[in-house]
Structures are given as C-alpha cells and as structure tokens.
C-alpha cells in the first residue's frame, strides 16, 4: 500500500491533472489566465521537486538494505 501511494504521489500525470484543475478553478472564480498559468506552473514544479526527493530517498533506502560483498 505504501508503494502504491508513493507511486501515485510521484506521478507526473496526477500533478499535471491537478494543476489543470486548479487553473480552471482560478479562472472560473474570477482569476486571470496569467494567474492560473503561474499557479499551475508552481504546482507542477513543486511536484517535480517532491518526486525527485522521494525517488532519491527510495534509492538511498534500497542501497542501505542491499547486502554488500565488501569485507
């Protein structure tokens, strides 16, 4: 279950869909298209950073768990 959640939260498709949804809400409730574009870009950029951090954390955790042949 944890892997499933991590996979979904690091999905670029999920964050792109969320940013488009938020941008549409901004325009619908009176914001300008420029504001919507900027906020959508921030969401996608933030998601990229989060995905990178989570991915690197998983790689580091796998490296710690892997047995080593060094003696």
């Amino acid at each position: 279950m944890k892997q499933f959640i991590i996979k979904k939260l690091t999905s670029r498709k999920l964050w792109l869909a969320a940013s488009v949804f938020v941008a549409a809400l901004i325009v619908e409730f009176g914001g300008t298209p420029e504001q919507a574009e900027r906020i959508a870009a921030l969401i996608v950029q933030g998601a990229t950073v989060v995905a990178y951090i989570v991915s690197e954390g998983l790689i580091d955790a796998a490296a710690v768990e892997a047995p080593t042949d060094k003696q």
Side-chain angles (χ1 to χ4, degrees):
M1 182 66 168
K2 181 180 176 183
Q3 292 292 348
F4 175 77
I5 292 171
I6 290 172
K7 185 176 180 179
K8 290 299 177 187
L9 289 177
T10 58
S11 167
R12 291 174 292 184
K13 291 177 187 176
L14 170 72
W15 290 106
L16 183 60
S19 68
V20 169
F21 178 70
V22 170
L25 286 175
I26 291 168
V27 172
E28 184 64 30
F29 289 107
T32 66
E34 291 79 19
Q35 290 171 325
E37 182 180 335
R38 287 182 180 157
I39 291 171
L42 285 173
I43 292 170
V44 172
Q45 291 169 354
T48 301
V49 170
V50 169
Y52 176 78
I53 291 169
V54 169
S55 298
E56 288 298 315
L58 292 173
I59 291 169
D60 292 346
V64 169
E65 294 174 3
T68 59
D69 293 332
K70 297 178 184 178
Q71 292 181 352

